[in-house]
Structures are given as structure tokens and as C-alpha cells.
């Protein structure tokens, strides 16, 4: 038994992908069971997981803790003339490392001419016994035996295992979980014929140099006849017939002429990997392990066996999947298609394809993802109307995403997602997939908005001479196209009134009635509203001439009436009376300034305005008109001297009075004691 620790170590290394199972102590018991149907006693050896230590008749593992496991049953048939102890290594590995099985070894079937059929029935009886013990009160196995049995054997026992399996399956004695044959022999009745009734998962191990049950002549026919959809034949190169068991002289004598080329430990370790996977109900028992020649009708699905016509696709592409393994029980998802091939139309995003296989112990699946990239889509967002002297931004909106970049190129040559447009026209953008999923393009029309011609008209005078007179700012032009107006001073009427003096710069922002809603600016009107108090000119009288203070324009008046042509800075009076001047100055913004009236009395050439129908003073004389009046007319000097006197009964024509002899001065005209007026004589 020195070999056992080595075998355990080899198992841990080679079966590193299997779950880690707890190691158990090994219990053993020998007892005799009875097959009442055949009136036969059958000695058996049971090896099982024990509690606190290894040994004979030890308690089951977990005893006293109310956590005793439920065990499956492993029935092992021995080879010709071989004791059950030759399978101690196998039984120990099953008990200590699998842990959920108990091994039952019938000790019958010995002798030179064993009855193979009878030995097979002993194996069936051993399995039936364990099922009865499961329900028998007081039994060590009560409540701890699963209705799940593996029928196995080596050499003659391997052949008998197929005979026993046929019996169990036909009579439904108990649930048969699997059959394992280690270099199985042809038996009588025929084990290869019985294999045709075996429908449960089956594992057959063969030696590459086995000359006792050679592969071609013995093992292969048994495998070929097995009816199970889950069957595997693993041939270990260099392995012999007897090295499937522990060393024993009876078997060794039978293969003296065919020596193994690998060690017993190496052969056992390779065999154990297959057996261990099957006992653990793993579909891996159908896989090739190490340097092994394998035949199988079933293999777990593996990603390496799936070929895709493409692993990177564009939306809408058809992808074809092919499975190169056994496609008998395959199901493809998500479309629930059966068979070795599957085609689907790629949809956007990461698409998951699952290949599900109905296995020996349930189902296995392989999930594969296919990256499916969107084909480019693009649209242009932005205003379609361009306001004069304005710009708009057009944006290319594509389905670009991380991992699926979409590049854009505008008809302007720009490659950014947005462009600034300042001219009307047709703009095109093309979107191209970096993943080779094609391209897409779209065009966009930008129209120039027709805007109205609107200007500002100022109505009124910006300068008020004296009290302010309101003026008006008015918009004129194509106002029917205008939706709303806002002056820069906040007014929203189309005509505004200016009622306060000050400097003004006016323009209006107009919003169009069209959908574009362009803002249109009018021209600008700049002006200043003023109230002006003009400076009052002053008049002086020098050398028979009236003079005004300096101004830009002049307009003289006589007795309040304008004097025609009197627009100079001076004026020579022609008559006695009240004279004034009106002036304008640039600094007074053209407002009129009016002087105080100045009275002027002229000489004998002066006309006496008060009595102009009675006498007229002209140069050289005073002319007295016709006066229907009797009496006298007298001219007095300012000193009261009588300068001239005459009768007023002249009726035909004016009478001339010579005044050339009068000294300069002011003279009064008196008729019959009534003062008629004065005149001036200037020398």
C-alpha cells in the first residue's frame, strides 16, 4: 500500500481542474448477503468513508453529528482468478477522494471455470442489497444510500458488469447511473451482446499493449455495441491488462508475453482521472486526458469547436456558426435552432450566442459573444434659415460610440462634428464607420432670409428756441415683414416721441415675421435735442447810422415791421421812429435774438408819420397837403421862435415850405394852436 499516497498526489496534480473534495478515512467490512431468489449466499467486501480513523467496521463519516452523507454505490467485479484485494487502490481512492461513494466488491466468481452470468447476478444482488439497507431500520446504511449505482469491473468482472447492467436495466432493479469497464473481457453469455442493452453513460478503459483483452478483438466490439448516447473508450498507450489493478501474481502470469511500457502508477493515475470525472458526474470523462487515444459518441461542447464566419460584424450581416463536434443534442440560442450549423442576422451591440448540449449528467453550454457594430447613421441639426450678416452652427449627429467610432466629413472639408455656416447653400456630411460598416450621408439646405429695408425718420426740429417742442422718431420702409420692434431705449412702438432735451443715438432691433426670427437692425440716427435762449443784441446810433452787436445774421425792423433788405450789421434810418434788430448766432443754434427798440428822429427830410396826410418832410422842404381847414399853420423852433407861418386854405396842390434855411434842430408844426408833430433838420 505504499503506492496509495503517490496515487493521491498524482491525482491532485492531474485533476487540478476538478473541485477540491475532502479526504476521508477508510472503513472496511466483510459480510455475506443472501440472494433469496437464487437461494445463494454471497460474500462481499464493502469499503466506505469512515469517521475518525481508518479500520474495520468503523462508523460512517459524520456519525454522531447528524450529518452523515448519502452515498452512491460502486459495484466492482474482479478479474479472472483475481482477489478483491487487487482493487484496494481503486476502492481507497473512491472512498477517500470522491467521498460520496461506497465500494462493494462481490467475492464470488472464483475458480477455474467461473459462471460469468452467475457472477453478474451476484453483482446485481450486491446492488439490490445496498438499496434494501437504505430503508431497513437499524441498518448502518439506513437513510444513507442513494438510488444511484455504478456497475464496474475489470477483465472478467468488466464483462460481467455489462451482463449485470443488462439485468438491472431490463428488470429495473434499481437506478443504474453508469457502467465502467477496465479492459473488459468477452464473457459467456456475451458481454458484447449485453452491451447493446446498456443505455446509461459508459466508460471503457483499454491498454495499448493489452494482449489478454486486446482492443481490436475484444474491447472494441463491446464499445461498438453499447447503446448509450454517452459512451467513451479511452486507450492508454503502453498500458497493460493487469496494471488496471494492483499487483497480483494470478493476473501477472496471464500477460507474461505482453509487458507494459509505462509504470503501474502511471497507468493507474491516467485511468483514475477518467474514473474520477465520471464518478463526479462530470462530462469531462469524455475528454481526452493526457496521452490517451479516445473514442467517444459524446464530448462536452468547447469553444474551440465553434467556428464563426466572423467574430466582428456589422448590424444586418448574416453570421454562420459551425460546431465541429458531435451535434446530436445541440441547441443554439437565442433562436432555439438545433444542429451543427446556425445562422443569424447580427443585431446591434454585443450579441450573445449560446451553444447548449444535452449531456450525460444534465447540460453544458458555451456562451460566445459577437461584437456587432452599428452601421453609420447621421443627421444634421441646426437652423435652416440664415440671417444676413450672421452665422449659424450645423451639427452632424451620428451614432458614433466608444469602440464604434464614426468619422464625419463635411462638403466644406471640415471633419469636426460641427461647422459654422455664413453663406446660404446645400451642405452635405458623410459619416464613415472605422469598423468597415459602410457610410451614410445627408444633405441640408440653408436659405438666406430676406430682410426688410427699414430706416429712421426724425420729424420735427431738434432745436427749440425757448419752450421745447416735441419731435418724433418714426420707422419707415417694409414694416409689413416686421413682427416686433424694440428701440435701443426700450420703447416697442414703431413711432416714438422725444420730449426731453439731450443727446440721442437711436436704432431699432426688429424681429422678422418669418420662422427664422432674424434680428434686423435699422440705421442709426444720432442727434441732440436742445432748448436755446438766444443772446439779446444791442443797438447803438452813431453818425446817423444804427449799429448792432456782432452776430451771424441781421434783420432790422421799423416800428415792429421788417425793413426790406436791411440785413447788414448796420442800418441808416430813413424815417423817424422805433428801430430794432433781430440776430442769429451759431452758438445760439440759429435762434433769433431781438434788441430793444430805439427811437430815431430825423431832419427836415423826415416824414411826419402822425400827420402824413397833412404834411410831408422831404429833402429841401416841407410839403403841406391840401387842407380843408381855415386858419394858419406855424413852424416853431425848439427855442419857441416862429420860423414860418402860412394860411391853410390851399386847396389845389401841396405848398412847399423851404427849410434849407433852417438851422439844424428839432421843429414843431402847429395849426391854429394845435401841435401836429415834429421834424428834424440835419446839417
Amino acid at each position: 500500500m505504499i503506492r496509495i499516497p503517490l496515487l493521491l498526489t498524482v491525482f491532485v496534480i492531474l485533476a487540478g481542474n476538478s473541485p477540491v473534495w475532502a479526504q476521508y478515512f477508510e472503513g472496511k467490512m466483510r459480510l455475506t448477503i443472501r440472494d433469496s431468489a437464487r437461494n445463494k449466499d454471497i460474500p462481499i467486501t464493502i469499503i466506505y468513508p469512515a469517521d475518525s480513523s481508518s479500520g474495520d467496521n468503523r462508523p460512517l463519516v459524520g456519525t454522531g453529528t447528524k450529518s452523515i452523507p448519502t452515498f452512491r454505490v460502486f459495484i466492482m467485479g474482479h478479474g479472472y482468478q483475481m482477489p478483491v484485494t487487487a482493487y484496494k487502490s481503486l476502492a481507497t481512492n473512491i472512498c477517500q477522494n470522491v467521498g460520496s461513494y461506497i465500494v462493494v466488491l462481490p467475492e464470488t466468481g472464483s475458480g477455474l471455470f467461473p459462471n460469468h452470468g452467475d457472477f453478474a447476478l451476484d453483482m446485481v444482488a450486491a446492488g439490490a442489497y445496498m438499496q434494501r439497507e437504505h430503508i431497513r431500520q437499524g441498518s448502518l446504511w439506513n437513510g444513507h444510500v442513494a438510488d444511484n449505482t455504478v456497475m464496474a469491473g475489470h477483465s472478467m468482472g468488466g464483462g460481467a458488469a455489462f451482463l449485470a447492467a443488462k439485468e438491472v436495466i431490463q428488470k429495473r432493479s434499481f437506478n443504474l447511473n453508469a457502467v465502467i469497464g477496465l479492459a473488459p473481457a468477452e464473457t459467456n453469455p456475451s458481454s458484447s451482446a449485453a452491451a447493446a442493452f446498456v443505455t446509461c453513460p459508459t466508460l471503457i478503459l483499454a491498454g495499448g499493449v493489452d494482449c489478454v483483452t486486446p482492443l481490436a478483438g475484444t474491447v472494441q466490439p463491446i464499445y461498438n455495441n453499447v447503446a448509450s448516447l454517452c459512451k467513451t473508450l479511452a486507450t492508454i498507450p503502453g498500458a497493460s491488462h493487469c496494471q488496471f489493478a494492483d499487483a497480483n501474481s494470478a493476473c501477472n502470469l496471464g500477460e507474461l508475453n505482453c509487458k507494459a511500457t509505462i509504470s503501474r502508477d502511471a497507468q493507474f493515475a491516467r485511468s483514475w482521472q477518467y474514473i474520477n470525472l465520471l464518478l463526479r458526474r462530470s462530462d469531462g470523462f469524455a475528454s481526452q486526458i493526457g496521452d490517451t487515444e479516445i473514442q467517444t459518441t459524446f464530448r462536452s461542447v468547447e469553444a474551440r469547436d465553434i467556428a464563426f464566419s466572423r467574430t466582428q460584424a456589422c448590424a444586418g450581416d448574416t453570421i454562420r456558426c459551425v460546431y465541429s463536434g458531435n451535434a446530436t443534442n445541440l441547441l443554439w440560442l437565442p433562436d432555439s435552432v438545433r444542429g451543427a450549423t446556425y445562422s443569424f442576422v447580427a443585431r446591434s451591440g454585443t450579441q450573445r450566442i449560446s451553444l447548449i448540449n444535452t449531456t450525460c449528467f444534465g447540460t453544458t453550454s458555451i456562451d460566445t459573444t459577437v461584437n456587432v457594430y452599428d452601421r453609420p447613421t447621421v443627421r444634421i441639426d441646426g437652423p435652416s434659415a440664415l440671417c444676413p450678416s450672421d452665422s449659424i452652427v450645423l451639427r452632424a449627429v451620428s451614432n458614433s460610440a466608444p469602440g464604434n467610432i464614426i468619422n464625419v466629413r463635411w462638403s466644406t472639408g471640415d471633419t469636426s462634428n460641427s461647422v459654422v455656416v455664413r453663406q446660404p447653400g446645400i451642405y452635405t456630411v458623410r459619416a464613415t464607420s472605422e469598423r468597415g460598416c459602410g457610410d451614410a450621408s445627408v444633405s441640408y439646405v440653408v436659405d438666406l432670409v430676406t430682410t426688410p429695408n427699414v430706416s429712421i425718420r426724425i420729424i420735427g426740429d431738434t432745436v427749440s428756441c425757448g419752450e421745447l417742442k416735441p419731435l418724433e422718431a418714426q420707422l419707415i420702409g417694409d414694416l409689413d415683414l416686421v413682427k416686433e420692434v424694440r428701440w435701443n431705449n426700450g420703447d416697442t412702438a414703431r413711432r416714438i416721441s422725444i420730449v426731453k432735451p439731450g443727446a440721442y443715438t437711436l436704432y431699432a432691433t426688429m424681429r422678422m415675421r418669418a420662422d427664422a426670427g432674424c434680428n434686423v437692425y435699422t440705421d442709426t440716427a444720432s442727434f441732440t435735442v436742445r432748448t436755446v435762449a438766444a443772446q439779446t443784441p444791442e443797438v447803438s446810433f452813431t453818425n446817423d447810422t444804427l449799429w448792432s452787436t456782432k452776430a451771424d445774421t441781421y434783420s432790422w425792423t421799423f416800428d415792429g415791421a421788417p425793413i426790406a433788405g436791411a440785413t447788414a450789421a448796420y442800418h441808416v434810418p430813413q424815417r423817424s421812429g422805433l428801430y430794432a434788430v433781430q440776430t442769429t448766432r451759431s452758438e445760439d443754434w440759429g435762434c433769433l435774438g431781438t434788441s430793444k427798440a430805439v427811437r430815431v428822429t430825423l431832419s427836415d427830410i423826415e416824414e411826419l408819420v402822425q400827420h402824413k396826410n397833412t404834411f410831408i418832410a422831404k429833402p429841401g422842404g416841407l410839403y403841406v397837403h391840401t387842407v380843408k381847414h381855415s386858419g394858419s399853420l406855424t413852424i416853431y423852433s425848439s427855442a419857441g421862435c416862429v420860423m414860418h407861418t402860412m394860411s391853410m386854405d390851399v386847396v389845389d396842390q401841396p405848398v412847399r415850405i423851404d427849410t434849407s434855411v433852417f438851422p439844424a434842430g428839432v421843429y414843431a408844426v402847429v395849426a391854429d394852436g394845435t401841435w401836429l408833430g415834429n421834424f428834424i433838420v440835419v446839417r
Side-chain angles (χ1 to χ4, degrees), residues 11-130:
F11 163 71
V12 171
I13 295 173
L14 295 179
N17 291 330
S18 299
V20 177
W21 294 72
Q23 294 189 5
Y24 296 93
F25 294 102
E26 180 185 317
K28 184 180 74 172
M29 63 175 63
R30 295 186 71 240
L31 65 152
T32 299
I33 62 174
R34 185 164 181 81
D35 184 354
S36 57
R38 294 184 294 147
N39 197 24
K40 180 180 181 180
D41 291 331
I42 304 169
I44 61 174
T45 295
I46 302 176
I47 298 176
Y48 55 92
D51 195 356
S52 58
S53 62
S54 299
D56 293 342
N57 302 311
R58 296 294 305 167
L60 288 175
V61 63
T63 300
T65 65
K66 297 182 180 180
S67 59
I68 299 175
T70 299
F71 304 98
R72 297 184 179 95
V73 178
F74 187 96
I75 308 296
M76 181 66 192
H78 63 80
Y80 179 70
Q81 295 291 307
M82 295 176 65
V84 296
T85 55
Y87 305 98
K88 179 67 168 60
S89 295
L90 176 62
T92 297
N93 271 284
I94 293 174
C95 291
Q96 291 190 343
N97 293 286
V98 178
S100 58
Y101 282 86
I102 54 177
V103 181
V104 181
L105 301 101
E107 298 179 10
T108 56
S110 58
L112 292 176
F113 303 102
N115 185 321
H116 300 151
D118 197 47
F119 182 51
L121 293 177
D122 293 344
M123 296 172 67
V124 174
Y129 167 77
M130 295 306 299

Side-chain angles (χ1 to χ4, degrees), residues 9 56 62 83-84 92 104 129 147 152 160 165 302 351 387 403 407-408 415 424 438 465 486 514 580 658 674:
T9 302
D56 293 342
V84 296
T92 297
V104 181
Y129 167 77
D147 184 16
E302 297 185 21
Q351 195 155 344
C387 298
N407 296 318
V408 300
T415 56
C465 299
R486 179 172 294 275
D658 185 11
T674 301

Side-chain angles (χ1 to χ4, degrees), residues 594-654:
T594 303
S595 67
K596 293 180 180 180
V598 175
R599 179 171 294 278
V600 175
T601 302
L602 299 179
S603 65
D604 56 356
I605 66 171
E606 178 185 18
E607 178 183 358
L608 295 178
V609 178
Q610 295 89 338
H611 300 279
K612 62 183 179 180
N613 291 326
T614 303
F615 62 91
I616 298 174
K618 291 184 178 182
L622 179 71
Y623 292 84
V624 179
H625 289 218
T626 299
V627 178
K628 291 182 188 262
H629 178 75
S630 60
S632 62
L633 183 142
T634 304
I635 298 175
Y636 295 94
S637 68
S638 59
C641 296
V642 175
M643 301 300 295
H644 181 79
T645 185
M646 65 175 288
S647 173
M648 293 191 302
D649 55 359
V650 179
V651 295
D652 292 332
Q653 60 183 3

Side-chain angles (χ1 to χ4, degrees), residues 369-420:
T369 56
V370 177
N371 293 323
V372 181
Y373 302 104
D374 288 329
R375 295 186 182 276
T377 62
V378 66
R379 72 175 190 273
I380 297 176
D381 284 352
S384 60
L386 178 65
C387 298
S389 302
D390 203 352
S391 64
I392 59 175
V393 176
L394 299 183
R395 291 180 175 84
V397 181
S398 70
N399 56 338
S400 183
N404 188 21
I405 302 300
I406 306 297
N407 296 318
V408 300
R409 177 174 289 277
W410 295 83
S411 53
T412 60
D414 291 289
T415 56
S416 60
N417 287 329
S418 61
V419 293
V420 178

Side-chain angles (χ1 to χ4, degrees), residues 532-537 549-550 583 585 587-588 591-595:
V532 178
Q535 181 176 336
T536 301
T549 52
K550 187 176 182 180
T583 61
R585 301 189 312 158
E587 54 263 40
D588 293 338
C591 290
L592 290 174
T594 303
S595 67

Side-chain angles (χ1 to χ4, degrees), residues 253-302:
L253 289 174
E255 62 171 2
L256 288 175
N257 295 325
C258 47
K259 297 295 185 181
T261 59
I262 61 174
S263 67
R264 188 181 300 272
D265 288 343
Q267 182 172 333
F268 185 87
R270 190 77 53 76
S271 302
W272 172 248
Q273 291 181 73
Y274 284 102
I275 295 170
N276 176 61
L277 290 172
L278 181 60
L279 295 182
R280 297 188 188 283
R281 301 172 61 83
S282 167
D283 290 320
F285 85 92
S287 302
Q288 181 168 335
I289 299 175
D291 185 15
T292 307
E293 297 173 4
I294 189 168
Q295 301 175 47
T296 183
T297 58
F298 168 77
R299 179 182 295 115
S300 299
V301 293
E302 297 185 21

